[in-house]
Amino acid sequence: MKSFLNDIKRNPGIYILMIPVLAFFIIFAYVPMGGIIMAFQNYTPKGGFFHSDFVGFKHFTDFFGSIYFGRLIGNTLAISILNLIFGFPAPIIFALLLNEVGNKAFKKTVQTVSYLPYFISLVIVCGLVADFTASDGPVTDLIASLGGERINYLGQPQYFRTIYILSDMWQGLGFSSIIYLAALAGIDQELYEAAALDGANRWRQTIHVTLPGIASTIIILLILRMGTMFSVGYEKIILLYSTNTYETADVISSYVYRKGLQEFNYSYSAAVGLFNSVINTVLLVFSNKMSSRFSDTSLF
């Protein structure tokens, strides 16, 4: 404790800068955790936390026995796994390709263009996706010219996940590559020179120098991604899905939104949300444990 107080005296400016960050997490992350008690109550705004009936694990058992349980888990896992398989490597590959570009003007232009979709409002992005995949949209026109069907692809359950993943990749590709580009910039250039002297071409340099140089960054981001496997964002889902596509589009977060904000079933939605958070925590701890066992990189 004494050393901590001495460190505060030596670096007061740093600790002052920490105050807003700590306040943010305390107010918006830790204080709301008290609302978890709703998951074990029949909560009503009139009764509040202290006068609502305690029902124990009733809402959890109702959810596990619901006809929607299997569909929600399956859809959430399917979208998350597809996003992990295709969406996670995409920024890495993009960063590696950009790293090989020698023309600085062209490189900066490509980077700027690739970053722009990330800053477009999600509502606008979903509107563009809906218009482009409509029966008379540009994407549908292209598919029809290649011999495909002229239908509203977003309204077809079998195409929803593909459209969701592709639009997600398009929007986040450039921005997600920033951290990999930063990691690539930190690789010692003498390693490339040594590899070139040993006769390694660009491909072998990438395999034996570049990828090992950013491996720790990739592992950390992969662990963080594993911790959000069950947290498919409801915002984009509810903007894109419809009753026709619930079969493949309805996920846990969108179900919580409907139950909590549309049906005002606060306790049930809190129980489902708590279940979701617990599973994410388990996946995070498990993936971190596996990483620390098979590599030298881990979060904790």
Side-chain angles (χ1 to χ4, degrees):
M1 184 65 180
K2 186 177 180 180
S3 60
F4 176 67
L5 293 175
N6 289 333
D7 191 56
I8 293 177
K9 292 178 181 179
R10 287 194 301 267
N11 306 288
I14 295 176
Y15 287 95
I16 290 173
L17 290 174
M18 286 178 58
I19 293 175
V21 178
L22 290 174
F24 174 84
F25 282 103
I26 291 172
I27 296 171
F28 295 105
Y30 289 101
V31 172
M33 284 185 181
I36 290 175
I37 194 174
M38 286 172 38
F40 306 96
Q41 298 176 320
N42 273 331
Y43 176 83
T44 61
K46 182 180 179 180
F49 294 128
F50 302 105
H51 297 96
S52 295
D53 295 332
F54 184 79
V55 295
F57 292 93
K58 177 181 181 300
H59 300 302
F60 293 93
T61 55
D62 288 347
F63 175 59
F64 297 149
S66 169
I67 59 174
Y68 302 113
F69 179 75
R71 184 182 76 180
L72 294 171
I73 298 296
N75 289 343
T76 303
L77 275 176
I79 292 176
S80 294
I81 291 173
L82 287 172
N83 216 342
L84 184 66
I85 294 173
F86 297 103
F88 184 77
I92 302 174
I93 297 170
F94 183 66
L96 292 173
L97 293 174
L98 275 181
N99 192 51
E100 297 297 319
V101 176
N103 189 316
K104 291 185 178 180
F106 178 74
K107 183 177 181 178
K108 289 181 179 179
T109 302
V110 172
Q111 284 181 278
T112 302
V113 172
S114 66
Y115 297 162
L116 289 177
Y118 183 82
F119 298 99
I120 300 176
S121 168
L122 187 60
V123 175
I124 295 176
V125 169
C126 292
L128 290 172
V129 171
D131 289 341
F132 277 40
T133 57
S135 57
D136 56 350
V139 172
T140 307
D141 290 341
L142 176 61
I143 294 174
S145 67
L146 297 174
E149 295 181 272
R150 182 174 289 281
I151 57 176
N152 178 12
Y153 282 92
L154 189 60
Q156 305 300 314
Q158 64 270 31
Y159 298 118
F160 181 88
R161 293 171 184 167
T162 302
I163 294 171
Y164 181 92
I165 299 300
L166 289 177
S167 62
D168 225 30
M169 290 172 60
W170 168 75
Q171 189 176 16
L173 177 67
F175 191 81
S176 299
S177 68
I178 293 176
I179 192 168
Y180 297 111
L181 290 170
L184 288 169
I187 298 176
D188 190 350
Q189 296 302 307
E190 292 182 358
L191 295 175
Y192 290 107
E193 295 174 5
L197 289 174
D198 288 339
N201 56 24
R202 295 302 298 177
W203 173 251
R204 289 189 176 275
Q205 290 178 33
T206 300
I207 297 297
H208 297 290
V209 178
T210 306
L211 288 179
I214 63 173
S216 59
T217 302
I218 295 174
I219 292 172
I220 290 296
L221 292 177
L222 180 59
I223 294 172
L224 293 173
R225 176 66 72 91
M226 290 298 295
T228 59
M229 283 289 287
F230 274 74
S231 294
V232 179
Y234 74 91
E235 299 96 338
K236 190 173 182 179
I237 292 289
I238 64 175
L239 287 170
L240 290 178
Y241 78 169
S242 63
T243 53
N244 293 334
T245 57
Y246 276 1
E247 178 186 344
T248 57
D250 197 19
V251 295
I252 293 176
S253 58
S254 60
Y255 183 69
V256 169
Y257 167 80
R258 290 202 310 276
K259 284 292 181 179
L261 297 181
Q262 292 185 338
E263 298 180 18
F264 305 108
N265 196 342
Y266 304 115
S267 293
Y268 186 84
S269 61
V272 178
L274 179 57
F275 163 78
N276 193 27
S277 299
V278 169
I279 297 298
N280 279 331
T281 303
V282 171
L283 288 174
L284 176 65
V285 173
F286 176 76
S287 58
N288 185 75
K289 183 68 175 178
M290 291 297 101
S291 176
S292 62
R293 175 175 295 183
F294 295 107
S295 71
D296 297 327
T297 304
S298 63
L299 284 175
F300 47 86

